[in-house]
């Protein structure tokens, strides 16, 4: 399965088990995220450690998840790889997202 | 088509899952150049964005149509064209301005799509778009150090 979840304390960690978060899977990833949020998950950390490449559609699916939780929950990202970090920098999306070096950092202190 | 001495021409069917094929091909060609790993990642990103656009917008996500990618290489630049025979990109989209600065306090204004062309315009050294007898070609180039 491309996307998996696990619980870490109060957080739901969503692992993207794909090397490419691109247009071919962005819509299914968005639906997966929305299903998590609609089922009551309020604190979500997306683990991007396996993702080596992301395009603007993949980024769009993350923005959609962030928008859906805005104001009522937490939506953070962890372990973004260099090319993925670069995309966040290029699009200034690093201003919008909480980017953490690891899942442990993202859930720390809760 | 890029005017280069070394030219690689590829064709894929209009399915988003096929963009990886051309992404890997362009990475292979990039390995022959002086481009840095960061520049190669960015070139791959630009290619994928334009191929995605052709599939999603020119062909409305319908499989069974050709997308042609030409990668030209010479001593000073790498030139890439992505062509389709579907709906052309409106000029106001090609010429659109950079998106407004993101305001973290206004989630309703956060865009979930429409960043692809801006990314390409930002990263490539030269970008153009032309339509000739039903063939739409997005042409972009990246200067090489030598």
């Amino acid at each position: 399965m491309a996307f998996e979840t696990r619980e870490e304390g109060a957080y739901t960690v969503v692992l993207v088990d794909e090397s490419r978060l691109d247009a071919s899977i962005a819509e299914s990833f968005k639906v997966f995220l929305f299903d998590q949020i609609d089922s009551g998950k309020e604190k979500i950390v997306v683990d991007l450690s396996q993702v080596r490449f992301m395009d603007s559609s993949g980024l769009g699916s993350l923005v959609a998840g962030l928008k859906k939780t805005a104001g009522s929950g937490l939506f953070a990202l962890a372990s973004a790889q260099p090319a993925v970090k670069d995309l966040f920098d290029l699009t200034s999306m690093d201003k919008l997202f909480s980017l953490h070096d690891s899942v442990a950092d993202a859930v720390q202190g809760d | 088509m890029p005017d280069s001495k070394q030219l690689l021409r590829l064709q894929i069917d209009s399915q988003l899952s096929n963009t990886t094929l051309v992404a890997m091909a362009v990475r292979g060609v990039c390995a022959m150049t002086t481009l840095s790993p960061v520049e190669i990642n960015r070139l791959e990103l630009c290619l994928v964005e334009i191929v995605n656009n052709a599939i999603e917008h020119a062909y409305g996500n319908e499989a069974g149509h050709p997308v042609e990618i030409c990668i030209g290489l010479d001593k000073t630049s790498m030139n890439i064209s992505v062509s389709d025979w579907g709906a052309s990109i409106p000029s106001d989209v090609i010429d659109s301005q950079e998106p407004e600065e993101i305001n973290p306090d206004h989630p309703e204004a956060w865009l979930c799509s429409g960043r692809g062309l801006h990314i390409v315009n930002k990263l490539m050294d030269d970008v153009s778009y032309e339509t000739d007898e039903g063939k739409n070609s997005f042409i972009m180039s990246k200067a090489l150090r030598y």
Side-chain angles (χ1 to χ4, degrees):
Chain A
M1 190 175 173
F3 319 119
E4 296 171 8
T5 62
R6 68 177 189 274
E7 303 303 319
E8 289 207 15
Y11 290 83
T12 299
V13 179
V14 176
L15 172 69
V16 182
D17 197 12
E18 291 280 347
S19 62
R20 301 176 74 84
L21 182 49
D22 61 13
S24 67
I25 64 167
E27 184 60 27
S28 59
F29 181 54
K30 188 181 91 172
V31 170
F32 185 86
L33 282 178
F34 279 22
D35 283 348
Q36 299 301 315
I37 297 163
D38 288 338
S39 69
K41 312 291 188 188
E42 293 183 335
K43 295 184 174 184
I44 292 176
V45 176
V46 179
D47 181 353
L48 295 170
S49 59
Q50 303 305 306
V51 179
R52 296 291 182 271
F53 175 86
M54 186 189 294
D55 64 11
S56 65
S57 299
L59 180 61
S61 65
L62 292 172
V63 175
L66 182 64
K67 278 181 87 162
K68 195 167 171 65
T69 55
S72 61
L74 178 144
F75 190 89
L77 307 177
S79 307
Q81 300 302 299
V84 176
K85 273 186 180 168
D86 192 39
L87 178 62
F88 281 95
D89 290 343
L90 288 167
T91 55
S92 300
M93 282 293 142
D94 52 339
K95 295 176 185 168
L96 218 55
F97 285 95
S98 299
L99 293 160
H100 301 271
D101 289 340
S102 66
V103 170
D105 282 355
V107 303
Q108 196 174 29
D110 191 79
Chain B
M1 187 185 305
D3 183 20
S4 303
K5 287 187 176 177
Q6 290 183 296
L7 187 69
L8 180 66
R9 184 184 307 185
L10 305 161
Q11 185 174 303
I12 57 167
D13 188 78
S14 52
Q15 299 176 65
L16 291 170
S17 56
N18 285 337
T19 59
T20 306
L21 289 171
V22 285
M24 293 303 106
V26 81
R27 289 191 77 88
V29 175
C30 285
M32 299 166 61
T33 72
T34 55
L35 292 171
S36 70
V38 171
E39 289 171 324
I40 293 173
N41 288 339
R42 289 176 170 188
L43 202 74
E44 177 187 0
L45 175 63
C46 291
L47 177 71
V48 167
E49 294 294 345
I50 299 305
V51 172
N52 286 347
N53 267 0
I55 295 169
E56 292 177 327
H57 301 298
Y59 294 131
N61 261 324
E62 188 178 88
H65 303 283
V67 180
E68 180 187 85
I69 298 95
C70 290
I71 307 166
L73 196 60
D74 57 39
K75 283 185 176 177
T76 59
S77 65
M78 188 165 177
N79 309 293
I80 299 173
S81 70
V82 176
S83 302
D84 65 71
W85 288 260
S88 54
I89 305 174
S91 57
D92 61 328
V93 174
I94 288 283
D95 300 333
S96 64
Q97 302 297 308
E98 285 291 311
E100 286 183 22
E101 192 156 340
I102 302 148
N103 187 335
D105 297 326
H106 291 98
E108 68 282 0
W110 300 344
L111 299 174
C112 296
S113 62
R115 292 189 180 86
L117 282 178
H118 296 298
I119 291 170
V120 175
N121 281 325
K122 191 171 187 174
L123 295 181
M124 298 302 285
D125 293 319
D126 195 37
V127 166
S128 63
Y129 184 74
E130 61 187 36
T131 297
D132 183 28
E133 296 183 351
K135 181 180 182 180
N136 309 307
S137 296
F138 193 102
I139 302 158
M140 50 191 171
S141 68
K142 185 77 185 167
L144 301 173
R145 294 177 297 276
Y146 64 99

